[in-house]
């Protein structure tokens, strides 16, 4: 099934699957077929096009990239760092009863509050002066702020996987 999925995305699906598997194993991340399929789907549909757009924009204006990797504990962690999960962290509403299980506040209130402070502060800095507090993005270094349990700044995150894709040839 994984090979069939990758055939829709890439002319050399077996090679790309193996690159993903090796890179994820080297980083100590899950490398089973389900995990690879989910990550690759995110890369093809979101991450790679976003990085291409950031690179294009960076050639014209100050550009900053971040990734919100905090994994929701909901459904035993099945949804991971889901789309829009960072919104309650940005606005400090992570403890609201309608999202507290989703954000993880119910399980780790201090960690969630601390991460929210970091994310919200970066957004406020950017709104106030156009600089969130980390190095600008460019198409070579691809500096990215990663917000998760151990926030950090990374140069070209998951570069092995990113290099598998030509953003101009991705399926539409």
């Amino acid at each position: 099934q994984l090979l069939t999925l990758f055939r829709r995305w890439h002319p050399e699906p077996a090679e790309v699957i193996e690159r993903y598997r090796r890179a994820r194993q080297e980083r100590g991340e899950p490398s089973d077929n389900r995990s690879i399929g989910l990550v690759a789907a995110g890369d093809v549909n979101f991450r790679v096009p976003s990085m291409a757009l950031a690179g294009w924009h960076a050639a014209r204006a100050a550009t900053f990239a971040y990734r919100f990797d905090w994994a929701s504990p909901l459904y035993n962690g099945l949804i991971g760092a889901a789309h829009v999960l960072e919104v309650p962290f940005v606005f400090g509403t992570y403890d609201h009863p309608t999202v507290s299980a989703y954000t993880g506040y119910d399980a780790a209130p201090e960690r969630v509050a601390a991460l929210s402070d970091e994310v919200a502060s970066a957004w406020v800095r950017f709104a106030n002066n156009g600089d969130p507090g980390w190095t600008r993005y460019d198409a070579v270094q691809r500096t990215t702020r990663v917000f998760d349990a151990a926030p950090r700044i990374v140069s070209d995150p998951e570069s092995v996987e990113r290099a598998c894709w030509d953003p101009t040839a991705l399926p539409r």
Side-chain angles (χ1 to χ4, degrees):
Q1 290 178 347
L2 187 61
L3 194 57
T4 301
L5 178 65
F6 270 74
R7 279 189 186 117
R8 295 175 53 204
W9 297 333
H10 202 281
E12 298 178 25
E15 180 182 330
V16 174
I17 291 168
E18 186 53 31
R19 285 185 188 175
Y20 267 73
R21 193 175 314 282
R22 273 190 312 236
R24 293 182 63 76
Q25 287 171 344
E26 287 174 11
R27 292 191 303 265
E29 298 171 353
S31 59
D32 58 283
N33 285 351
R34 179 185 172 278
S35 296
I36 290 172
L38 288 172
V39 169
D43 286 352
V44 166
N45 291 295
F46 298 106
R47 189 170 75 92
V48 172
S50 295
M51 292 179 80
L53 178 59
W56 176 87
H57 190 268
R60 292 152 180 79
T63 304
F64 299 91
Y66 79 91
R67 211 171 67 190
F68 193 81
D69 283 2
W70 177 263
S72 171
L74 207 57
Y75 307 114
N76 294 318
L78 185 63
I79 62 173
H83 184 60
V84 307
L85 177 57
E86 80 267 23
V87 173
F89 288 81
V90 171
F91 295 104
T93 57
Y94 54 82
D95 58 347
H96 190 276
T98 60
V99 297
S100 61
Y102 180 57
T103 63
Y105 180 77
D106 294 346
E110 295 84 17
R111 288 176 50 200
V112 169
L115 182 58
S116 178
D117 287 346
E118 274 202 58
V119 173
S121 294
W123 277 53
V124 167
R125 282 191 303 271
F126 183 76
N128 282 334
N129 64 28
D131 184 344
W134 60 88
T135 305
R136 291 178 179 188
Y137 186 94
D138 66 58
V140 176
Q141 291 297 319
R142 296 181 174 88
T143 302
T144 304
R145 178 79 159 117
V146 178
F147 291 105
D148 65 7
R152 63 204 176 280
I153 296 173
V154 180
S155 180
D156 199 4
E158 287 81 40
S159 59
V160 170
E161 294 93 324
R162 178 199 46 76
C164 292
W165 307 106
D166 174 356
T168 64
L170 293 175
R172 302 198 195 289

